[in-house]
Amino acid sequence: DGGITQSPKYLFRKEGQNVTLSCEQNLNHDAMYWYRQDPGQGLRLIYYSQIVNDFQKGDIAEGYSVSREKKESFPLTVTSAQKNPTAFYLCASSPGTSGRASRGTGELFFGEGSRLTVL
Amino acid sequence: EDKVVQSPLSLVVHEGDTVTLNCSYEVTNFRSLLWYKQEKKAPTFLFMLTSSGIEKKSGRLSSILDKKELFSILNITATQTGDSAIYLCAVEADNYGQNFVFGPGTRLSVLP
């Protein structure tokens, strides 16, 4: 079945370590996104990518890095420079901009999320 | 800067009550407004709205968009405990490619 797979679901990290969160989609979507969610809050955009080999910073990109070498994959690295990395991370995808109609392209499809805890 | 505001941020009701959740926005190049329900993990899609004044319905949930006043409401009638969740409003904007701006969410608690 088509969907988005995030791994790991739970991750513990010691301070000073980099960690990479995986996000894979088989929906043939062009656009992919990483969001951070803190308790009781909405989603804040970290990075997004409209097409392979291209990505843009979101509102809170500092301390994070991404790559988009394949259409299906958009991994997020939480670096030691991120001061407060404990959070719930959500990856999403959408059809994107290529060949779309003038109206909205449709909803975001979300993965199940990765909960990162820094010890 | 694009912005989405939701109110109230938190709401506690009893089963059977009707609730109205609000979402207002300021974005350039508006394309659509979306509502999601988030219970524990991934948000699940409820509605996408692109045109003013056309109500979308799904069971006890309904939503409408006012593009002149830049807001949307989500109504839930005859609430049930299973409606307890965070309800997220997002606006799709066409700025240098597709982008979705989320509001802070409304946390709804439905008591038996």
Side-chain angles (χ1 to χ4, degrees), chain A residues 37 50 94 100 103 105 108 111, chain B residues 31 36 38 42 94 98 104:
Chain A
Q37 188 175 34
Q50 302 287 341
S94 70
R100 65 180 177 173
R103 289 181 177 265
T105 57
L108 283 172
Chain B
R31 296 186 66 85
Y36 288 86
Q38 186 180 26
D94 183 8
Q98 190 185 32

Side-chain angles (χ1 to χ4, degrees), chain A residues 31 33 35 37 40-43 45 48 50 88 90 94 96-97 100-108 110-112, chain B residues 31-32 34 36 38 40-43 45 48 50-51 86 88 92 94-100 102-105 107:
Chain A
Y33 308 81
Y35 292 93
Q37 188 175 34
Q41 298 189 28
L43 308 185
L45 182 65
Y48 66 103
Q50 302 287 341
F88 186 55
L90 280 163
S94 70
T97 58
R100 65 180 177 173
S102 58
R103 289 181 177 265
T105 57
E107 75 266 28
L108 283 172
F110 285 91
E112 290 295 303
Chain B
R31 296 186 66 85
S32 66
L34 304 102
Y36 288 86
Q38 186 180 26
K40 292 219 163 109
K41 292 185 178 177
F45 174 75
M48 182 178 76
T50 56
S51 301
I86 297 174
L88 297 167
E92 181 189 0
D94 183 8
N95 298 317
Y96 308 106
Q98 190 185 32
N99 193 11
F100 295 84
F102 279 83
R107 181 179 290 275

Side-chain angles (χ1 to χ4, degrees), chain B residues 74-85:
Chain B
L74 174 68
N75 279 322
I76 308 175
T77 59
T79 53
Q80 302 171 358
T81 55
D83 295 326
S84 296

Side-chain angles (χ1 to χ4, degrees), chain A residues 32-34 45-48 55-58 61 64-66 74:
Chain A
M32 296 187 74
Y33 308 81
W34 274 105
L45 182 65
I46 304 173
Y47 269 97
Y48 66 103
F55 47 83
Q56 309 295 329
K57 291 183 179 180
Y64 299 98
S65 66
V66 293
F74 192 42

